[in-house]
């Protein structure tokens, strides 16, 4: 029997704000332990949290970029649990009225986006554990996907696209190494064609997007093998170990948390007015999908080109600068995709320089083949195309006056071919054209030489 | 295990709240909590089908502050209240999960 996987992702994203979610402590990665803390984020009794307006704004902005429905009315809840990384013994989160609902990342659906506070960071020693509360209270956005993914590659594509949108909107830097983006996965398997979901397993502790792909590939194989052996998959949480590349049980269903959510009495609800929403909407940048459509419509590029160019925001910006004044945006695209992209990381060719090279080819100054030679030289030396063409004496002979002289010479030297052409052998012109190019030492613009020849032979 | 609707599993709730109760306390609180629940259940007699659920008792929304960082408190004062500290961290019995 064939099996398929069903995957849903929970992504936590630290928002790029100056201060924490409910207090004025600064948010910074790598600060000295327990230096960015106060009674609020240390969970002292009697303190009052006050919402960071920018965190709410960035969550709504994310929702708008991802096509979510923005709640007009949203509230806060307490998620109760005992763990040393959360000194209040509850995390302030959103339960039934999140800021955003619905939405999409590419072809995969989003269930909801809510805002909450990050927890502290713990360190484990031989006999004890230690806690640094600097991270506690950092604005944290949770994005929950629909169970729409079917393969580790789908999950990889989802995360890559999501990250691209969030970085593009300035919502977060999404650096997984710094824990700015963290991902948990829910995965189950079922026979192909089966509508009901299998028992799902949650995987935690994946520290990179490729780690997510590896963990899912392992877990899907593990579950399919178990089912084929006649075993039953049980609902549990498993931890991914990137070094050994396996998942192992962390906790079972019997030990699942019972959070007893209830409304947070210390915080007032959030109401998003039409005016506020309109103001945030103005900050929505052009999204990758819209940019691809625009590249196709505006520059007349094939879908494939648009896809490749837009995949990296800096490549797209580079392309747009080079193509802006160009008469041949498709040629610019070809050059960027085939020649430049491979070397983009170490690129020394400015957009204007590439545009100049393409213009030189289009004007017939050099051939496409020579263009590649010039490109290599431009890349190696940083010189402009015009300088290299000059230095190497590459310029095609496109001067009609000079070419006419060469054409006359060729005609005079090959009377038999001229007679052949006049007798109706049209192919004889190609031989004559070859002679002109030979006389020019390879520099004659073939098209122009052909035109002059035809005119003289027919005249 | 989670209790059924209307029933109150005192042992389970005590575990969630990390409370250790004696058998006698268990019996005592069980009776008291059943009474409280029965009292609150009276509210079910009201027809609230046309009433919007309230999120907060105070009719206020959008109590926000500007995203501005201000100085935190000194670490010495922070760690002075820790039951134990080392390496500038709050130290506790080893967390196992
Ligand atoms: Zn604080």
């Amino acid at each position: 029997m064939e099996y398929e996987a069903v995957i849903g992702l929970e992504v936590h994203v630290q928002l790029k704000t100056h201060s924490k979610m409910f207090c004025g402590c600064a948010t910074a990665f790598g600060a000295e332990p327990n230096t960015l803390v106060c009674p609020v984020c240390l969970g002292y009794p009697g303190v009052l949290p006050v919402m960071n307006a920018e965190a709410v704004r960035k969550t709504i902005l994310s929702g708008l970029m991802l096509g979510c429905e923005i709640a007009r009315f949203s509230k806060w809840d307490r998620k109760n649990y005992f763990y040393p990384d959360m000194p209040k013994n509850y995390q302030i989160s959103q339960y039934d009225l999140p800021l955003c609902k619905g939405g999409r990342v590419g072809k995969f659906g989003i269930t909801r986006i809510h805002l909450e506070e990050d927890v502290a960071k713990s360190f484990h020693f031989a006999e004890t554990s230690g806690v640094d509360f600097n991270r506690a209270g950092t604005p944290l956005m949770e994005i929950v996907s629909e169970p729409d993914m079917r393969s580790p590659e789908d999950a990889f594509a989802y995360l890559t696209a999501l990250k691209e949108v969030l970085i593009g909107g300035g919502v977060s830097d999404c650096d997984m190494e710094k824990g700015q983006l963290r991902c948990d996965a829910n995965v189950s398997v079922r026979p192909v064609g089966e509508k009901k979901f299998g028992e799902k397993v949650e995987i935690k502790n994946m520290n990179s997007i490729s780690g997510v792909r590896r963990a899912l590939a392992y877990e899907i194989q593990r579950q399919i093998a178990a089912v084929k052996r006649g075993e039953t998959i049980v609902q549990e949480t498993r931890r991914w170990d990137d070094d050994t590349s396996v998942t192992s049980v962390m906790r079972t269903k019997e030990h699942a948390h019972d959070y007893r959510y209830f409304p947070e009495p210390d915080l007032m609800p959030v109401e998003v007015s039409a005016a506020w929403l309109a103001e945030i909407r103005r900050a929505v940048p052009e999204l990758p999908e819209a940019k691809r459509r625009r590249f196709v419509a505006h520059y007349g590029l094939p879908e494939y080109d648009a896809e490749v160019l837009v995949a990296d925001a800096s490549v797209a910006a580079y392309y747009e600068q080079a193509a802006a004044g160009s008469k041949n945006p498709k040629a610019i695209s070809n050059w960027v995709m085939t020649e430049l992209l491979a070397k983009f990381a170490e690129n020394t060719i400015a957009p204007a320089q590439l545009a100049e090279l393409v213009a030189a080819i289009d004007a017939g100054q050099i051939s496409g083949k020579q263009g590649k030679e010039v490109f290599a030289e431009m890349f190696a030396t940083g010189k402009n195309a015009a300088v290299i063409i000059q230095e190497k004496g590459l310029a095609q002979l496109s001067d009609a006056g000079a070419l006419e002289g060469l054409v006359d010479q060729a005609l005079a030297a090959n009377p038999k071919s001229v007679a052949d052409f006049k007798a109706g052998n049209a192919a004889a012109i190609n031989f004559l054209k070859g002679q002109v190019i030979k006389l020019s030492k390879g520099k004659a613009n073939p098209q122009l030489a052909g035109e002059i020849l035809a005119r003289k032979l027919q005249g | 295990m989670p209790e059924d609707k209307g029933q109150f599993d005192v042992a389970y709730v005590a575990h969630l709240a990390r409370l250790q109760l004696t058998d006698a306390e268990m019996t005592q609180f069980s009776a008291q909590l059943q009474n409280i629940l029965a009292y609150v259940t009276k509210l079910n007699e009201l027809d609230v089908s046309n009433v919007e659920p309230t999120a907060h008792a105070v009719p206020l929304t959008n109590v926000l502050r500007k995203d501005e960082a201000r100085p935190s408190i000194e670490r010495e004062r922070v760690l002075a209240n820790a039951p134990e500290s080392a390496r500038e961290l709050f130290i506790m019995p080893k967390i196992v999960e």
Side-chain angles (χ1 to χ4, degrees):
Chain A
M1 202 187 301
E2 284 293 303
Y3 288 86
E4 70 169 2
V6 176
I7 302 163
L9 298 178
E10 284 171 22
V11 176
H12 284 94
V13 179
Q14 280 185 351
L15 297 176
K16 205 157 81 176
T17 56
H18 301 295
S19 64
K20 292 189 179 180
M21 187 64 231
F22 299 116
C23 64
C25 291
T27 53
F29 179 82
E32 280 285 302
N34 291 309
T35 52
L36 304 175
V37 291
C38 73
V40 173
C41 55
L42 284 170
Y44 273 69
V47 297
L48 273 181
V50 188
M51 247 178 278
N52 183 337
E54 183 60 15
V56 176
R57 198 192 76 91
K58 286 206 153 90
T59 305
I60 296 171
L61 176 62
S62 304
L64 289 173
M65 291 191 295
L66 296 166
C68 304
E69 183 197 324
I70 309 301
R72 304 311 284 259
F73 187 89
S74 179
K75 78 180 215 311
W76 301 92
D77 300 277
R78 291 186 179 181
K79 180 182 180 180
N80 301 281
Y81 67 94
F82 288 88
Y83 203 72
D85 64 10
M86 196 73 247
K88 298 193 296 295
N89 297 334
Y90 60 84
Q91 180 188 28
I92 301 176
S93 182
Q94 300 193 286
Y95 184 59
D96 58 339
L97 295 175
L99 276 164
C100 315
K101 276 186 182 170
R104 308 202 70 74
V105 175
K107 57 181 178 169
F108 310 112
I110 290 175
T111 311
R112 55 182 277 159
I113 304 178
H114 69 254
L115 188 52
E116 57 190 28
E117 53 179 340
D118 206 346
V119 298
K121 206 165 168 9
S122 30
F123 300 87
H124 305 291
F125 310 117
E127 306 284 319
T128 57
S129 292
V131 183
D132 169 13
F133 286 95
N134 283 353
R135 194 179 72 180
T138 300
L140 193 68
M141 184 169 73
E142 180 172 340
I143 304 168
V144 183
S145 86
E146 289 286 296
D148 284 353
M149 287 155 259
R150 295 290 172 269
S151 66
E153 287 66 38
D154 280 356
F156 187 86
Y158 172 92
L159 289 170
T160 307
L162 179 62
K163 202 174 139 177
E164 187 183 60
V165 170
L166 297 177
I167 292 174
V171 167
S172 172
D173 290 332
C174 296
D175 187 338
M176 283 186 90
E177 276 182 19
K178 292 183 181 167
Q180 291 167 342
L181 188 147
R182 310 196 286 270
C183 175
D184 298 332
N186 286 307
V187 56
S188 60
V189 296
R190 64 181 174 189
V192 172
E194 170 67 58
K195 287 274 176 285
K196 239 181 76 195
F197 292 141
E199 205 63 59
K200 76 177 177 194
V201 168
E202 187 180 19
I203 317 174
K204 289 184 173 290
N205 196 39
M206 296 165 293
N207 300 318
S208 65
I209 294 185
S210 51
V212 172
R213 181 159 65 180
R214 284 194 298 276
L216 284 170
Y218 170 85
E219 180 63 18
I220 291 165
Q221 286 316 309
R222 186 192 71 84
Q223 290 188 20
I224 292 174
V227 171
K228 282 188 173 167
R229 284 196 301 271
E231 292 168 24
T232 340
I233 302 294
V234 290
Q235 194 183 322
E236 61 188 9
T237 304
R238 298 177 72 89
R239 179 191 283 109
W240 169 248
D241 184 333
D242 212 38
D243 295 329
T244 55
S245 293
V246 294
T247 62
S248 54
V249 182
M250 210 168 136
R251 61 174 171 259
T252 55
K253 195 187 174 186
E254 289 76 58
H255 296 98
H257 296 297
D258 182 359
Y259 295 120
R260 300 286 166 129
Y261 284 93
F262 65 85
E264 164 61 271
D266 287 345
L267 287 166
M268 298 302 148
V270 178
E271 250 182 314
V272 185
S273 68
W276 192 16
L277 196 58
E279 185 199 314
I280 301 172
R281 202 181 290 278
R282 279 195 290 277
V284 173
E286 186 181 31
L287 296 171
E289 210 170 312
K291 194 179 274 183
R292 281 189 280 273
R293 282 200 300 274
R294 184 167 60 80
F295 273 33
V296 170
H298 184 77
Y299 299 111
L301 296 181
E303 300 269 354
Y304 174 79
D305 291 39
E307 183 91 19
V308 173
L309 295 171
V310 172
D312 182 325
S314 57
V315 173
Y318 181 103
Y319 172 76
E320 289 217 76
Q321 281 184 53
S326 169
K327 291 188 184 70
N328 195 348
K330 169 59 184 153
I332 302 255
S333 166
N334 291 345
W335 281 91
V336 171
M337 290 197 308
T338 57
E339 307 300 326
L340 198 63
L341 218 46
K343 298 176 177 175
F344 204 74
E346 35 167 346
N347 117 61
T348 55
I349 296 178
Q353 288 182 299
L354 180 65
E356 185 198 314
L357 173 64
V358 171
I361 297 168
D362 279 0
Q365 228 188 326
I366 52 171
S367 69
K369 199 172 149 220
Q370 288 171 320
K372 295 207 173 176
E373 203 182 316
V374 174
F375 183 89
E377 192 75 9
M378 284 166 71
F379 195 83
T381 63
K383 287 179 185 167
N384 284 345
V387 175
I388 296 163
I389 292 166
Q390 182 87 44
E391 283 177 354
K392 298 202 145 206
L394 286 176
Q396 280 185 355
L397 201 45
S398 295
D399 178 321
L403 270 180
E404 273 192 44
L406 295 177
V407 169
D408 288 339
Q409 276 184 50
L411 292 176
N414 299 285
K416 184 168 180 301
S417 297
V418 175
D420 283 350
F421 181 83
K422 292 202 164 157
N425 181 1
I429 196 170
N430 290 333
F431 172 77
L432 289 166
K433 195 158 85 181
Q435 295 307 302
V436 175
I437 290 169
K438 209 166 155 188
L439 284 168
S440 74
K441 299 191 172 67
K443 287 185 188 175
N445 178 328
Q447 201 187 344
L448 191 56
E451 281 167 21
I452 296 171
L453 264 173
R455 178 160 46 80
K456 293 209 177 236
L457 286 168
Q458 277 152 3
Chain B
M1 290 308 288
E3 71 278 4
D4 292 333
K5 239 191 174 139
Q7 281 299 311
F8 216 90
D9 183 339
V10 175
Y12 178 66
V13 175
H15 167 72
L16 283 181
R18 301 296 186 270
L19 293 174
Q20 256 183 341
L21 302 180
T22 62
D23 285 352
E25 284 171 327
M26 209 76 95
T27 317
Q28 187 192 0
F29 293 146
S30 188
Q32 289 181 350
L33 286 164
Q34 291 303 347
N35 281 341
I36 293 168
L37 271 187
Y39 179 69
V40 175
T41 307
K42 261 185 182 296
L43 287 171
N44 287 342
E45 291 166 19
L46 282 172
D47 178 11
V48 292
S49 52
N50 288 317
V51 181
E52 279 271 318
T54 184
H56 203 283
V58 182
L60 256 182
T61 59
N62 298 358
V63 181
L64 302 158
R65 70 180 168 81
K66 267 187 139 178
D67 178 29
E68 282 165 355
R70 53 156 185 70
S72 296
I73 53 178
E74 289 157 47
R75 182 158 63 189
E76 275 168 45
R77 289 177 60 207
V78 171
L79 292 176
N81 279 335
E84 197 186 327
S85 72
R87 311 182 203 210
E88 317 298 354
L89 302 170
F90 286 78
I91 295 296
M92 62 206 57
K94 194 171 168 76
I95 306 165
V96 261
E97 189 175 41

